[in-house]
Amino acid sequence: MKVIQRTTFINEKEVQYTHIETGSPVVCFMFSGAGYTYEKPLFYYSTMTMLQNQYDVVHIHCSYGQDVIKFPLEGITKIIVNDVNHIITEVCKNHRYQETVFLGKTLGTIPMDL
C-alpha cells in the first residue's frame, strides 16, 4: 500500500488530497462535509472497509469558508464540482480504474448529484 499526499492548484486555490493506492482496479473518492474530517467515524470506518476490500481511496480535502457558503446553492455547486472534477481527472489520468465509488457527507454530496 502506498499513501501519497498531493497538492494541486485550482483557480489559484490550493487543494489537497490523499491517494491511498493498493493497486486495485477500483477507486473510492471521498468528499467530506464542512468541518468533518476523515479521522471521524463515518470516513474512518469507510476508509478501513474500502482498504479491507482492496480498493484505492482518495480523500479530497476541500474546505470552503463563509465567502463560498454565502453563495446560492447553484454557485456553491459550481465551485465544488469544479474542484472535485479537477482532482478526479488528475487521479484518473495516472491510473486505469475499471470502477469508481463515491462517498460523501453533507456538502460532499453535492458533486455526487451531477
Side-chain angles (χ1 to χ4, degrees):
M1 179 171 19
K2 183 167 52 171
V3 179
I4 302 167
Q5 294 185 336
R6 295 214 164 115
T7 301
T8 188
F9 290 90
I10 304 168
N11 297 328
E12 300 180 20
K13 179 177 75 172
E14 186 177 287
V15 179
Q16 297 179 343
Y17 66 95
T18 303
H19 190 177
I20 306 169
E21 297 180 37
T22 65
S24 176
V26 183
V27 64
C28 177
F29 288 95
M30 295 188 185
F31 316 107
S32 64
Y36 198 86
T37 64
Y38 294 101
E39 293 79 25
K40 291 190 178 180
L42 174 68
F43 287 112
Y44 174 80
Y45 290 109
S46 297
T47 297
M48 293 300 113
T49 299
M50 295 297 169
L51 294 176
Q52 184 176 11
N53 287 296
Q54 300 180 346
Y55 288 16
D56 282 11
V57 175
V58 177
H59 292 162
I60 300 177
H61 306 282
C62 292
S63 60
Y64 302 99
Q66 292 301 315
D67 57 324
V68 172
I69 304 301
K70 69 180 180 184
F71 289 122
L73 184 58
E74 184 177 299
I76 296 169
T77 299
K78 284 182 182 180
I79 292 168
I80 293 173
V81 168
N82 180 58
D83 292 352
V84 167
N85 280 341
H86 183 87
I87 293 170
I88 291 172
T89 300
E90 189 171 300
V91 168
C92 289
K93 77 178 178 186
N94 297 316
H95 298 82
R96 298 275 184 226
Y97 291 112
Q98 296 172 6
E99 293 180 53
T100 304
V101 177
F102 297 102
L103 181 71
K105 181 184 177 314
T106 58
L107 279 179
T109 62
I110 289 175
M112 297 181 346
D113 283 340
L114 302 173

